[in-house]
Amino acid sequence: MGWEFCTVRNIKKTRKEHRCEFCGRTIPAGSPKILNWSGMYEGTFQNSYACHWCQDHQKHFISEWNNEILDFWDSLKEDVFWKELESYKPVYGKTDGDYFVLYSYETDKEVLRIKCPIIRESEVGEE
Ligand SMILES: [Zn+2]
């Protein structure tokens, strides 16, 4: 199965708020150059968006085997930031605006805060 058809495009400027398919954060209306893909996936119509940070790191979030989207926090912990998190495991994550924040399961304390902007800083305020 998988995709029956899929159209990928870059939206110049979004008109509405969207939710990032990977991290789940809100991409504000008026955001520039937003990746959008839509099509028929396993019988359901999908219309998805990605924030800039996830767009730049999407290879970590998509399975090379079947193109399926992997669990975001697992990929973040085991792939993208495994080095930074090595000494803190096990942790769980939350989003906080432009940051991903990781907490220790043991102490519930914040162990790592990583800036991963929803919109690239170079793009903010540009028309
Ligand atoms: Zn995202």
Side-chain angles (χ1 to χ4, degrees):
M1 287 283 275
W3 289 97
E4 277 156 63
F5 63 90
C6 181
T7 315
V8 181
R9 62 190 183 122
N10 243 304
I11 300 175
K12 248 183 158 174
K13 198 169 189 180
T14 53
R15 259 177 260 137
K16 286 191 284 178
E17 265 185 16
H18 297 290
R19 190 173 164 274
C20 174
E21 187 67 26
F22 300 106
C23 67
R25 296 185 294 183
T26 303
I27 305 163
S31 296
K33 297 180 195 152
I34 296 300
L35 180 71
N36 164 248
W37 65 104
S38 57
M40 195 61 87
Y41 184 79
E42 313 216 325
T44 7
F45 187 76
Q46 301 263 339
N47 187 23
S48 303
Y49 300 84
C51 72
H52 283 173
W53 191 84
C54 293
Q55 184 182 345
D56 292 340
H57 295 80
Q58 58 180 304
K59 67 171 198 292
H60 298 286
F61 309 130
I62 299 168
S63 159
E64 283 172 27
W65 289 96
N66 54 11
N67 267 333
E68 261 180 43
I69 292 175
L70 305 166
D71 181 88
F72 179 75
W73 291 103
D74 283 351
S75 316
L76 214 62
K77 287 188 280 184
E78 284 153 28
D79 191 356
V80 189
F81 295 122
W82 71 271
K83 247 191 159 153
E84 288 86 341
L85 289 166
E86 215 171 9
S87 48
Y88 298 117
K89 279 176 206 168
V91 293
Y92 62 93
K94 287 184 191 169
T95 59
D96 180 13
D98 276 342
Y99 293 86
F100 295 136
V101 189
L102 292 136
Y103 299 86
S104 157
Y105 270 118
E106 227 174 291
T107 62
D108 269 338
K109 292 238 165 68
E110 179 180 321
V111 293
L112 193 65
R113 174 174 285 261
I114 311 155
K115 190 163 196 193
C116 303
I118 297 173
I119 303 303
R120 285 181 209 104
E121 269 161 22
S122 59
E123 229 96 61
V124 174
E126 258 176 46
E127 279 300 305

